[in-house]
């Protein structure tokens, strides 16, 4: 299974060997990536990037008040 992994520094293509005992989602979480789907994900985002985006949206000004 080929998965595109997005992190703060780069994009990388990861090839995973998937079977019922080694699910793709678990393999990605072990590598600090969050899969886009529970079974056969094709995209995964770094947990660091998700934390940064969550903090960014929490602390930025709402659109109607920014103007």
């Amino acid at each position: 299974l080929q998965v595109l992994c997005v992190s703060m520094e780069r994009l990388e293509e990861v090839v995973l060997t998937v079977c019922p005992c080694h699910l793709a989602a678990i393999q990605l979480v072990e590598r600090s990536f969050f899969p886009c789907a529970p079974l056969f994900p094709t995209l995964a985002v770094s947990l660091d990037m998700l934390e940064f985006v969550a903090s960014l949206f929490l602390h930025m000004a709402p659109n109607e008040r920014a103007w």
Side-chain angles (χ1 to χ4, degrees), residues 24-47:
I26 293 175
Q27 292 181 48
L28 289 168
V29 170
E30 287 174 347
R31 295 179 183 200
S32 297
F33 287 97
F34 188 82
C36 67
L39 298 174
F40 306 113
T42 56
L43 177 71
V45 181
S46 167
L47 294 175

Side-chain angles (χ1 to χ4, degrees), residues 15-30:
V15 178
L16 300 174
T17 304
V18 181
C19 68
C21 58
H22 295 290
L23 298 174
I26 293 175
Q27 292 181 48
L28 289 168
V29 170
E30 287 174 347

Side-chain angles (χ1 to χ4, degrees), residues 2-6 11-14 28 33 41-45:
Q2 285 188 326
V3 181
L4 179 64
C5 295
V6 180
L11 296 174
E12 61 182 291
E13 191 88 18
V14 176
L28 289 168
F33 287 97
T42 56
L43 177 71
V45 181

